[in-house]
Amino acid sequence: TSPAVVESKTGMSFPSVIFEGRRLLGIGLRKKCVFGLKNIDVYAFGVYADCDQVKKILGDKYGKLITSELKDSKEFKEDIMESDICMTVRLQIVYSKLSIRSVRSAFEESVGSRLKKFGGSDSKDLLHSFTSQFKDEYKIPRGSVIDLSREPGHVLRTTIDGKEVGSIQSKLLCRSILDLYIGEEPFDRQAKEEIQSKLASVL
Ligand code: DAO
Ligand code: DAO
Ligand code: DAO
């Protein structure tokens, strides 16, 4: 099996395979500008997908295209986003002073804007049902591992250090979270490129 991949700036290490065969597609860094002047490294992330499923579900449709064509195909991206393929975004916390309150407000800003973009009016309740999972008593010190997984049936499952904190069935929420990492304005452009190339090369 292939070795883990280390995010060079933070030293956070991502195994090449997690759960039942979810493979690492790419890694990146989530930064945030605070007080309009300082950039902090908030977390490193790795995006994983069940590549056998990618092949099974999208192989017939795209298998004949060459990797470079596939990589830039809007339709392919759309199909990945909309599909029921099992995926995980793993976050490893870098910033040691992260409070649950700031997680909640960052989330409302980043994911909230996507929910509005894709979902429209009834997205407020959905956002609340997700952020209400973030209990004030949770601790996420540096090195904590948060997994956001898309499970069959568009269920978004959240775990902190392997412990489940909640599951929500919502295609819109899965899609909105995905969009943070591989959408039009991703947190880390290079990571998005890497993820897309890797996905295209699977087929
Ligand atoms: O101390 O309030 C502060 C600044 C920290 C900004 C935190 C950004 C949070 C980003 C989301 C983290 C999700 C795990
Ligand atoms: O980086 O802006 C962002 C949003 C990333 C998603 C963060 C989800 C965090 C969920 C777990 C928090 C538990 C306290
Ligand atoms: O742009 O080619 C593409 C698709 C990339 C897919 C990235 C998958 C991330 C899945 C995370 C789901 C979390 C709910």
Side-chain angles (χ1 to χ4, degrees), residues 112-126 172:
S113 70
R114 267 65 171 198
L115 285 174
K116 267 201 215 103
K117 175 171 153 194
F118 299 124
S121 55
D122 56 343
S123 55
K124 253 213 160 83
D125 289 345
L126 186 57
L172 178 58

Side-chain angles (χ1 to χ4, degrees), residues 30 32 34 40 42-43 91 93 95 97-98 102-103 106 146:
R30 158 72 152 130
K32 178 148 178 89
V34 287
I40 54 171
V42 184
Y43 58 79
L91 319 180
I93 305 298
Y95 184 63
K97 288 175 286 196
L98 205 55
S102 54
V103 172
I146 298 174

Side-chain angles (χ1 to χ4, degrees), residues 4-38:
V5 176
V6 177
E7 201 288 314
S8 56
K9 189 166 177 218
T10 61
M12 294 296 172
S13 173
F14 292 86
S16 58
V17 180
I18 57 171
F19 309 135
E20 297 109 51
R22 288 183 203 193
R23 299 192 161 277
L24 184 61
L25 302 172
I27 60 169
L29 194 56
R30 158 72 152 130
K31 297 182 198 167
K32 178 148 178 89
C33 186
V34 287
F35 313 119
L37 35 92
K38 203 174 118 197

Side-chain angles (χ1 to χ4, degrees), residues 85-96:
I85 293 164
C86 291
M87 292 180 168
T88 295
V89 181
R90 171 164 290 189
L91 319 180
Q92 298 202 55
I93 305 298
V94 174
Y95 184 63
S96 57

Side-chain angles (χ1 to χ4, degrees), residues 107-145:
F107 192 87
E108 278 166 13
E109 188 184 315
S110 60
V111 182
S113 70
R114 267 65 171 198
L115 285 174
K116 267 201 215 103
K117 175 171 153 194
F118 299 124
S121 55
D122 56 343
S123 55
K124 253 213 160 83
D125 289 345
L126 186 57
L127 189 63
H128 180 74
S129 65
F130 194 71
T131 54
S132 65
Q133 297 182 121
F134 311 166
K135 304 265 170 5
D136 286 325
E137 63 267 26
Y138 291 155
K139 293 280 179 292
I140 44 170
R142 187 184 165 90
S144 300
V145 177

Side-chain angles (χ1 to χ4, degrees), residues 25 50-71 73 75-77 79-80 85 195-203:
L25 302 172
D50 183 328
C51 293
D52 291 338
Q53 257 187 345
V54 173
K55 250 185 271 182
K56 210 162 109 196
I57 294 174
L58 301 175
D60 281 349
K61 185 168 173 186
Y62 296 106
K64 286 180 207 72
L65 296 182
I66 57 171
T67 301
S68 58
E69 286 171 337
L70 198 51
K71 190 182 157 293
S73 161
E75 196 176 346
F76 177 58
K77 252 180 265 180
D79 282 346
I80 293 274
I85 293 164
I195 292 160
Q196 285 177 342
S197 304
K198 197 62 163 271
L199 268 175
S201 72
V202 164
L203 289 169

